[in-house]
Amino acid sequence: MRIVFVDIQNSNVFLIRELHTIIFRDRIPIKYTHIFQELLKRDDVEVCNYITSKGSSICSQCGVRIRIPKWISLVEYKIAACLNGIESGKIRTITKKEEIKEDDIIITFIHAFASFAEVSLLKGKKFVHLNQYNFHPISLIKDNKFGVTGYIVEADLLKHRGLLTDNCFEPYPRMLILPFCVGNRFERIKCFFNRKNKAIAIGTLGMCKYPDFTNYYNTEYLQPMRRIIYENSTNLSEYLDSYIYPYIEYKNKYLGVSTKNIFIRLYKLFFSLTHPKQKKYFSFNIVDKFNDYRMSIVGEEVIGLPAIAAFESMACGCALLALDHDMYRDLGMIPGIHYIAYDGTLESLKEKITYYQSAPNELEKIAENGYNFTHNNLNAKVIVERFIKQLRKL
């Protein structure tokens, strides 16, 4: 089997640490790095990188959508691959569309829509990863001008009504599920009964101001429960400690301004690049923090996707409080066994925490089950094996 990624060097920091994040020291987590590295280890999979004329992460970050010589993207990829420790020869580089085969699996990311026109000319089965699709016009998916075979995402977004099902997909396309992988560093260090008898609420408070999203969900907040906890953290101290911080922690009057003024746009770009985001969120050791608490809350995205930190907290021995939703059930997680389900309201959350604060043995059992589940099912080897099986059925 041959899997062809489109512009690995511009994959929205899902596969490798991109050159622009290295230059500007932006500490964005690489969510699929363990899965990507596992793919590279397999003898039955050849991993390729197809270079497009819009494949530079630096140009994308700077908002440059014009075509550039492919050799520029190729040089950027070579440098990024070296800095990420990828062995020479592990990934085959492709620059000509004629080298793509009919049975190739082609994977690109929704944020790289500028290169979709070039991808549409390729043979093979084309899949678009939909993570953070809400930050782009829904028409990119709805119109499907690029001959997409299907989509890849962390949970089946077609099972419930939402922005996608109400605006796209007639008939529904193939949806491949690729769960988040828990890294090896997320481990249980501290004894359960030596931890604080309350929950840690953690995550970035994300906002999405794209009209398709805000008009449908009537909010700019991507994770509603995180906002509720963030705004009420002082009054929730007996139940939880909040480590929820806004994605953009600094204030600048120009950042929220939509303008055609080239000087303001250049200033906004320079300011954003030179002021790393999520500084508070990355100011502490997250593994140590998880090990300080018996329970964890990592608010889900309103579009129906879980957060990677939810599974990372379970891997560190926390009992996760989360919605009773297919985004967890489809992975094999059972409420009351692997995690604690609540109904998405603050009152329900407080009620569940209060109950389990008085039932430590029951809570420990759920935490233990969750710990075993994540380490047995959400490691890179298992996830890649299941993903390959999905691809072989195409």
Side-chain angles (χ1 to χ4, degrees):
M1 175 184 291
R2 197 164 80 156
I3 299 178
V4 181
F5 290 97
V6 178
D7 295 322
I8 288 173
Q9 72 284 354
N10 187 28
S11 58
N12 202 22
V13 204
F14 268 75
L15 304 178
I16 64 173
R17 186 163 299 285
E18 297 167 5
L19 195 55
H20 75 87
T21 67
I22 297 172
I23 293 173
F24 295 105
R25 300 180 181 179
D26 205 345
R27 296 180 61 186
I28 301 175
I30 315 170
K31 294 185 177 181
Y32 280 147
T33 184
H34 301 288
I35 293 174
F36 187 59
Q37 292 296 330
E38 184 64 30
L39 274 175
L40 295 180
K41 294 178 185 176
R42 293 183 66 108
D43 294 329
D44 60 340
V45 175
E46 181 184 8
V47 178
C48 304
N49 184 25
Y50 180 74
I51 305 291
T52 74
S53 63
K54 297 183 179 178
S56 168
S57 74
I58 296 176
C59 289
S60 294
Q61 189 70 12
C62 295
V64 177
R65 305 296 183 192
I66 61 173
R67 293 172 63 91
I68 60 174
K70 284 189 177 184
W71 68 263
I72 294 178
S73 297
L74 181 58
V75 169
E76 182 178 326
Y77 162 66
K78 294 291 186 181
I79 295 172
C82 179
L83 293 176
N84 279 270
I86 298 175
E87 296 179 25
S88 177
K90 275 287 185 180
I91 302 173
R92 180 180 175 183
T93 303
I94 300 175
T95 58
K96 298 178 180 179
K97 66 177 184 293
E98 292 79 15
E99 296 181 47
I100 301 295
K101 304 174 183 177
E102 292 278 359
D103 58 348
D104 283 344
I105 304 295
I106 302 167
I107 299 176
T108 187
F109 291 81
I110 187 68
H111 90 284
F113 62 89
S115 64
F116 281 8
E118 289 180 58
V119 175
S120 69
L121 302 176
L122 303 178
K123 301 175 184 177
K125 302 177 179 69
K126 295 181 274 289
F127 287 86
V128 177
H129 197 293
L130 288 180
N131 189 279
Q132 299 182 345
Y133 79 86
N134 47 286
F135 288 100
H136 305 282
I138 200 69
S139 58
L140 282 174
I141 306 169
K142 184 177 182 178
D143 298 342
N144 193 15
K145 298 177 181 178
F146 310 109
V148 173
T149 305
Y151 298 90
I152 301 171
V153 75
E154 296 86 12
D156 192 345
L157 296 175
L158 304 181
K159 280 194 170 185
H160 300 274
R161 284 195 62 188
L163 180 59
L164 284 187
T165 54
D166 283 7
N167 288 279
C168 308
F169 299 152
E170 292 181 6
Y172 286 169
R174 188 181 299 271
M175 186 74 75
L176 303 183
I177 308 304
L178 184 62
F180 285 126
C181 170
V182 174
N184 295 332
R185 72 187 183 99
F186 292 93
E187 190 52 81
R188 186 169 53 191
I189 300 170
K190 189 178 292 187
C191 171
F192 185 80
F193 291 104
N194 290 338
R195 303 180 180 205
K196 295 180 183 180
N197 190 23
K198 54 182 177 177
I200 177 174
I202 201 165
T204 299
L205 186 60
M207 297 183 69
C208 179
K209 298 186 178 183
Y210 281 75
D212 290 333
F213 176 86
T214 57
N215 292 339
Y216 186 88
Y217 292 107
N218 295 315
T219 183
E220 293 181 342
Y221 289 91
L222 188 55
Q223 305 96 352
M225 181 49 67
R226 295 188 198 179
R227 179 195 179 188
I228 294 172
I229 293 174
Y230 177 75
E231 293 178 346
N232 296 276
S233 58
T234 304
N235 300 323
L236 296 172
S237 58
E238 65 179 290
Y239 307 99
L240 58 85
D241 290 333
S242 175
Y243 289 86
I244 296 172
Y245 302 106
Y247 179 68
I248 298 177
E249 298 162 353
Y250 43 78
K251 293 183 179 181
N252 186 299
K253 66 179 181 180
Y254 291 112
L255 291 183
V257 175
S258 178
T259 178
K260 293 182 179 180
N261 187 306
I262 187 64
F263 298 105
I264 293 179
R265 293 177 67 181
L266 288 172
Y267 171 74
K268 287 170 61 178
L269 174 62
F270 175 79
F271 191 92
S272 296
L273 291 175
T274 55
H275 289 72
K277 305 170 184 67
Q278 301 174 280
K279 290 185 70 174
K280 288 184 180 178
Y281 186 72
F282 291 115
S283 66
F284 54 85
N285 186 314
I286 194 171
V287 175
D288 291 341
K289 283 296 180 189
F290 283 143
N291 273 273
D292 284 339
Y293 294 86
R294 295 182 182 181
M295 292 173 274
S296 63
I297 308 144
V298 190
E300 301 85 355
E301 295 183 9
V302 70
I303 59 177
L305 294 178
I308 187 171
F311 309 113
E312 292 169 344
S313 70
M314 294 170 66
C316 290
C318 294
L320 176 70
L321 291 125
L323 299 176
D324 184 355
H325 195 281
D326 286 330
M327 70 178 86
Y328 300 112
R329 286 184 174 273
D330 286 350
L331 298 177
M333 293 171 60
I334 303 171
I337 303 295
H338 302 108
Y339 74 104
I340 302 163
Y342 76 105
D343 67 10
T345 65
L346 188 58
E347 287 306 311
S348 175
L349 182 64
K350 289 160 63 176
E351 179 183 324
K352 294 290 184 179
I353 293 174
T354 299
Y355 173 81
Y356 282 103
Q357 283 176 325
S358 302
N361 292 328
E362 189 177 345
L363 183 63
E364 183 196 26
K365 187 174 181 179
I366 294 174
E368 180 70 20
N369 290 338
Y371 172 84
N372 290 328
F373 179 89
T374 54
H375 285 282
N376 292 334
N377 296 280
L378 299 180
N379 62 72
K381 191 169 185 179
V382 170
I383 290 174
V384 168
E385 182 62 36
R386 291 173 179 172
F387 186 63
I388 293 298
K389 286 182 179 179
Q390 291 183 78
L391 295 178
R392 293 195 188 282
K393 291 179 182 178
L394 296 175

